Every structure is written in structure tokens, then in C-alpha cells.
Amino acid sequence: MRAVNDEACRVVIEPDRCDLQEATYDPRLSSAGRDDGQHVVYTTVDRVVYQPAPDVVEKILDANGYSMNLENILAVLDEVKIGYRLQVSNEPLAPNSVPIAKTFLPALTLRLPMKNRVGPLLAKFYAEVGGYQNELVRLREQAGRAHGGQRKELEDLRREHEKLKAENEQLRTQVDSLNAELGQLRKSHAAANHALAEQNILPAQVRVAQVHKVDLEERYVALKSGRKVFSVPLVAIWVYPEKDEPCLVSIQDGEVSGVFFHEGAQPIPGMVLGEVLHVAEGQCKVREENRRTRVIQAQNPAEKELISQMRRGDRVLLFLHNDELLRFVPCGTFNAEAFARAVQESIARWEIAQSEEQGSDGTGPV
């Protein structure tokens, strides 16, 4: 495996510092080191798989000459982030644009302790220690005033002291639990990236993709899988997908044979029944049930085939999103249940309109 030039690589720990939409997973970026420009120490996740986060922190503190105490460990844990080590494109950038990454590998990043920097975990630790010390001072003062008949009160104070010690130990346990949870999240993230990179969780002809673009004017959807983009006409999709929505794409002989949107959040297009008024040269004129006319120009071979089957007077079912045409189906080849639903919807709208008219002129039922 050919090594990657380190001078062309960088570490990113903020989501707005680089564009990873076109990037691919590259295990050749495996590395560990320091980024002096960002004052961070990093290691790609493949080098610390299955290692608890505190162990990784202790190794880094020891390698950089820091004392191995809880204060330093919490200070570093406050700065732990999952970022990326990536190789950026050398193409010129437009003004105010971010670099575009070519390849990436998830990386665990952290900052070494600094006296003037206190994070959330370290602040809680200081607060707990301060409260514990204040309580010890109070207990000593009360113990100093205890004489003779105050033995019982002193014993109560000792029990309270033991209770506080137990609570303090419980807080330490919670900190350890948080560290373990952080380590588990890191492992899950690395495992998910590895599985997707290997693409060994789906059949060979099925790929993970997402919606790259929806063009209502041309009536097609661009689906991006890895570095390849597939164009699919809307006539082949039964929902209205939003940009960046995930989906599964079935590929046969290099072409898309099916698209499955598995999130279940896509809106169902509205349906309108229309009548064909005229057909000529890949376009047709349709009059909708509300008397509105619409000229449909075929945008792809599938739509040309549908229009070639139409004749004047035929019924056609239009699928709309925000009054924009998604697809159309002649009723003779369309599913009978869908056609019946469209007719029932038209009848219901007519009955509602009639009811509103009767109510407005005072002749309707009270």
C-alpha cells in the first residue's frame, strides 16, 4: 500500500473547516502525532481500537512528560473530540470557501493540559473538592467545640463525614463511567465507518446512497453512492425525496433498477385526475379536474413512452408536490386502487366545497 504524503494532510476538528461530501475512506492516512497550528495531539482511530479513553490519555500524558494525576486526566478528557485526518484537494478555491477533502480517516484528537483552561469535567472536580474541603473545615470546627455531653453530636458528624466520603467515591465512579461511555462511542463510530468502507453488510448489487439533487423542472433525482452519481427519473419513484435523504439503490448492469427510501419520512405526493386534450411530438396538453390546463413536455425516455400511449380523451393521473408535476400515469396502465383513491379524493373535495357554499349563504344545515 503506497504511503500518503504527510505534507498534503491535515487534521480537522471543526465541521465547518472542510468539505467532506466528496471524500472517501482511506486507511493509508493512519498516523499519530501533533498539530502545532491547532495545539492538538491526534491519533487515527485504527491505532487505538478497543483501548479505553483513559488509557489513551495516560499514554499521551506520559509521552509528553505530564504528571499522571486525576486533574491532568480530566483536563485532557474535556478536550477529547472525534475529528478527521484528511488529504485535501489541490484545486484552487473560491473566495470564502472551505477546502475540499479527497480522502479521510477518523481520528481521536485532544489538547494537553493548560493552567488557564478549565473544562466542564475539571470544573466539576474542583467544585466537588472545594465543597469537600469546606465540609471538612466545618466538621473540624464542630468537633473542636464538642465536650462532655456533645459525644453523640460528634458521632453524628463522623457519620455525616463518612456519608460525604461515600458520595465523593460515587462521583468518581460516575466519572469513570463517562470515560467508558466515551470509549464505547468511539469504538462504535470506528466500526460503523469501517463497515461502510468495506461495504460488506449489503448484497453486491445494493448500494447505500443519498439524495444529491432533486430537479422538479427536469423531473429527475440525482442519487450519490460513494463517488458515483446516478440520475433517476421521478416517474420511477413513488415518494418525493428531500435532499441528503438516505436510501438503498439496486444496480443491474450498471443502471439503477430500483430505489428504496427506508427512513419513512418522505411525503406522499398529491394526486389529481386530468383529461388529455392533445398529444403531439413528445408533449401533451391535460385539463385537470379544476379546469386548469397544463402542458407536459417529456423529459426522459420513460415519459416519452407514456405520452406516446396517450390519446385525446384519455384519463391521466398527475402526481404533484407544491403544485409542481412529479410524474404522470395513464389510468389505463395505473393501479386500480390508486385511481379509485384519486376519484374519491376529488368527490370529497367537491362535497366540502358544496358544504362551504351552502354554509356561507345561510341555506345549509344548522
Side-chain angles (χ1 to χ4, degrees):
M1 182 181 296
R2 186 168 57 87
V4 175
N5 183 9
D6 288 342
E7 295 181 356
C9 298
R10 64 179 62 184
V11 175
V12 173
I13 59 176
E14 300 296 339
D16 58 349
R17 299 303 296 272
C18 196
D19 183 359
L20 277 79
Q21 291 187 2
E22 305 292 336
T24 58
Y25 185 92
D26 189 356
R28 296 178 302 167
L29 293 172
S30 176
S31 177
R34 299 180 63 162
D35 187 329
D36 294 330
Q38 302 182 82
H39 305 290
V40 299
V41 178
Y42 71 91
T43 174
T44 52
V45 295
D46 60 302
R47 298 196 173 204
V48 291
V49 173
Y50 303 122
Q51 295 186 34
D55 290 352
V56 178
V57 170
E58 288 182 3
K59 290 179 181 178
I60 293 174
L61 287 174
D62 183 59
N64 288 273
Y66 284 84
S67 299
M68 205 67 59
N69 55 50
L70 184 59
E71 184 178 18
N72 283 339
I73 293 174
L74 290 178
V76 175
L77 286 173
D78 275 323
E79 300 290 335
V80 169
K81 287 186 178 181
I82 301 295
Y84 293 99
R85 185 170 191 256
L86 47 84
Q87 187 177 29
V88 298
S89 173
N90 54 10
E91 296 180 2
L93 297 176
N96 300 323
S97 63
V98 298
I100 299 175
K102 296 194 300 184
T103 59
F104 73 94
L105 187 64
L108 183 71
T109 67
L110 49 86
R111 287 188 170 93
L112 296 174
M114 293 180 63
K115 292 184 178 180
N116 59 348
R117 188 174 64 229
V118 178
L121 282 177
L122 191 56
K124 290 181 181 179
F125 174 71
Y126 286 154
E128 291 294 337
V129 171
Y132 182 61
Q133 290 175 344
N134 292 336
E135 189 66 19
L136 287 178
V137 171
R138 185 181 69 84
L139 292 174
R140 290 193 185 99
E141 291 177 351
Q142 290 186 358
R145 294 192 299 267
H147 299 286
Q150 297 180 338
R151 290 181 180 273
K152 184 179 181 300
E153 182 181 354
L154 180 60
E155 187 63 28
D156 291 340
L157 292 175
R158 287 177 178 171
R159 283 196 296 268
E160 186 176 356
H161 172 64
E162 294 298 327
K163 179 181 177 182
L164 289 172
K165 287 178 62 178
E167 291 177 353
N168 189 51
E169 186 62 30
Q170 184 178 7
L171 289 172
R172 292 178 183 271
T173 303
Q174 290 178 359
V175 171
D176 292 340
S177 178
L178 288 173
N179 290 335
E181 184 177 352
L182 176 64
Q184 184 62 38
L185 287 173
R186 177 180 55 76
K187 290 192 293 184
S188 299
H189 180 77
N193 277 281
H194 181 72
L196 288 176
E198 296 294 335
Q199 290 190 350
N200 58 358
I201 57 175
L202 294 173
Q205 74 276 14
V206 178
R207 299 186 184 180
V208 176
Q210 65 177 167
V211 177
H212 183 64
K213 179 182 178 182
V214 180
D215 191 329
L216 290 179
E217 184 176 350
E218 301 292 334
R219 290 194 291 279
Y220 79 91
V221 177
L223 304 175
K224 184 178 181 183
S225 177
R227 303 181 65 177
K228 188 171 180 60
V229 177
F230 300 94
S231 293
V232 181
L234 282 172
V235 71
I237 300 177
W238 289 96
V239 296
Y240 176 75
E242 297 288 350
K243 189 175 183 299
D244 297 329
E245 284 196 28
C247 61
L248 298 177
V249 179
S250 179
I251 308 296
Q252 298 291 340
D253 298 326
E255 299 294 334
V256 176
S257 63
V259 182
F260 174 63
F261 290 91
H262 51 82
E263 295 293 339
Q266 300 78 20
I268 302 298
M271 293 184 289
V272 175
L273 188 63
E275 180 182 356
V276 177
L277 300 179
H278 182 69
V279 179
E281 298 180 356
Q283 61 181 352
C284 66
K285 186 176 183 179
V286 177
R287 180 171 58 205
E288 300 176 5
E289 56 188 8
N290 59 2
R291 311 299 296 176
R292 171 183 173 180
T293 60
R294 184 190 300 265
V295 176
I296 302 175
Q297 177 72 45
Q299 299 296 334
N300 51 69
E303 291 186 353
K304 289 181 181 179
E305 177 64 23
L306 289 176
I307 290 178
S308 68
Q309 300 173 10
M310 296 181 184
R311 299 292 181 269
R312 175 180 174 84
D314 287 353
R315 295 289 183 176
V316 61
L317 198 58
L318 309 179
F319 293 80
L320 307 176
H321 177 75
N322 293 334
D323 205 39
E324 293 286 343
L325 180 65
L326 298 181
R327 61 181 179 275
F328 56 92
V329 180
C331 291
T333 60
F334 187 65
N335 185 291
E337 293 182 359
F339 176 75
R341 288 197 300 269
V343 174
Q344 291 171 359
E345 183 179 355
S346 300
I347 295 173
R349 284 203 298 268
W350 181 84
E351 290 177 348
I352 292 173
Q354 291 294 106
S355 176
E356 290 176 349
E357 291 179 1
Q358 294 177 1
S360 61
D361 60 16
T363 60
V366 180

